[in-house]
Amino acid sequence: MESDTAGFFEEPADYYPPSPPPTSQIYTLQSGKTITLHLVGHSPLEAHHLWNGSRIISKYFENNVSEVQGRTVLELGAGAGLPSIVCAILGAEKVVVTDYPDPELVVNMKKNILGCELIPVTNSDAENSPIVADGYVWGADATHLLAHLEVFKKDSFDVLILADLLFRHSEHKNMISTIEATLNRKKTSKAFVCFTSYRPWLQHKDLAFFDIARERGFLVDKIIEEKMDKAMFENDPGDEEVRKTVTGFTLRWPDEKCT
């Protein structure tokens, strides 16, 4: 994890050993079937990790299929795109999986989509596939993301996913601006925010995301708290119990903001 004062594309020198070349990891669904996820060899945006938040929110959706089945889904900062792929497998109407518009990151997301035989339809015609990958910078104009919904005559998403993004403290306002711009204003619409405080001494800054969300008028509810068997970065400093804990919240529109 990078220091709080590092730039968006920077991380402290020698904080971790050099990243390995591109690798892959396996995620096992509750059905016993597996998803192979390719990871980029290194990314200043931390996309070379399969984060615990993405694993836990994926499991949550498997246990709560109605949250995504038949619904439109947008994932921000997706990395390998595990939650999005799981949503597509579970029957989401349309999933748009995004990360920073770096060609390597977008190509890798597409590779994971095309390599997953469990997705109902996957071919070169993105409009006929339940899942598509795209580049996006948090807080920027989201018109091109919403355009993926035009075929369904919809102009916003039912579900948003933010998995292990809150350590980017300087980007909290941009993330919430994107939620405001893309989350359907219905009582049933939700943004799922799942994370671990990998730097326990900065946990208050992670949680400040929800203060901003409340200030913007969102209702915030805690839905998940799960402890992993071990911390993701075992040799990191800080309270190990905090570093092992994955927490999930939802953001919803209050009644007066719903249409």
Side-chain angles (χ1 to χ4, degrees):
M1 298 294 300
E2 65 179 41
S3 71
D4 187 46
T5 57
F8 192 75
F9 301 103
E10 301 173 356
E11 54 189 6
D14 302 323
Y15 199 90
Y16 292 116
S19 295
T23 59
S24 63
Q25 291 196 28
I26 303 295
Y27 177 83
T28 303
L29 296 163
Q30 293 181 11
S31 66
K33 296 179 180 180
T34 60
I35 301 170
T36 299
L37 296 155
H38 300 279
L39 306 174
V40 296
H42 173 74
S43 167
L45 302 179
E46 310 291 350
H48 52 295
H49 300 297
L50 182 60
W51 295 88
N52 286 337
S54 67
R55 295 178 183 273
I56 295 302
I57 196 60
S58 296
K59 184 169 73 171
Y60 175 86
F61 290 142
E62 286 194 82
N63 290 327
N64 300 271
V65 178
S66 63
E67 295 281 17
V68 297
Q69 192 173 55
R71 310 189 80 194
T72 55
V73 179
L74 171 65
E75 183 174 4
L76 304 178
L82 173 61
S84 289
I85 290 172
V86 169
C87 289
I89 292 170
L90 294 175
E93 183 177 43
K94 187 72 173 186
V95 182
V96 180
V97 52
T98 71
D99 208 320
Y100 188 80
D102 172 81
E104 185 179 12
L105 296 182
V106 176
V107 166
N108 189 68
M109 291 189 294
K110 291 180 178 179
K111 181 178 181 180
N112 286 333
I113 292 169
L114 293 171
C116 183
E117 297 179 353
L118 302 176
I119 296 174
V121 178
T122 305
N123 55 43
S124 58
D125 184 356
E127 294 308 320
N128 289 330
S129 173
I131 181 170
V132 61
D134 210 338
Y136 180 68
V137 177
W138 305 328
D141 184 358
T143 300
H144 68 293
L145 303 182
L146 300 174
H148 293 292
L149 302 179
E150 289 178 356
V151 68
F152 304 104
K153 301 187 185 304
K154 296 182 178 180
D155 60 4
S156 49
F157 292 89
D158 303 312
V159 174
L160 266 66
I161 303 169
L162 293 79
D164 270 328
L165 304 183
L166 298 196
F167 67 92
R168 298 284 188 190
H169 302 144
S170 64
E171 293 298 312
H172 285 181
K173 291 182 179 179
N174 285 334
M175 294 176 199
I176 293 171
S177 292
T178 295
I179 296 172
E180 289 178 320
T182 60
L183 184 65
N184 199 327
R185 288 180 180 260
K186 293 182 180 178
K187 292 181 181 180
T188 55
S189 301
K190 298 175 185 176
F192 292 87
V193 183
C194 196
F195 71 103
T196 291
S197 288
Y198 294 101
R199 300 165 296 178
W201 61 95
L202 293 176
Q203 186 177 49
H204 64 289
K205 291 195 173 185
D206 297 340
L207 294 173
F209 173 90
F210 300 105
D211 294 332
I212 299 170
R214 292 185 183 96
E215 290 171 3
R216 298 275 189 98
F218 286 102
L219 302 176
V220 178
D221 300 291
K222 185 176 180 180
I223 60 166
I224 300 170
E225 183 169 312
E226 184 165 336
K227 192 161 291 188
M228 309 299 286
D229 292 334
K230 59 183 180 180
M232 185 169 171
F233 305 107
E234 294 185 78
N235 296 323
D236 273 13
D239 188 327
E240 184 179 13
E241 294 305 302
V242 174
R243 293 187 292 111
K244 287 164 58 176
T245 303
V246 182
T247 310
F249 290 79
T250 59
L251 272 57
R252 296 181 293 114
W253 294 112
D255 289 350
E256 61 270 20
K257 290 195 175 186
C258 293
T259 57

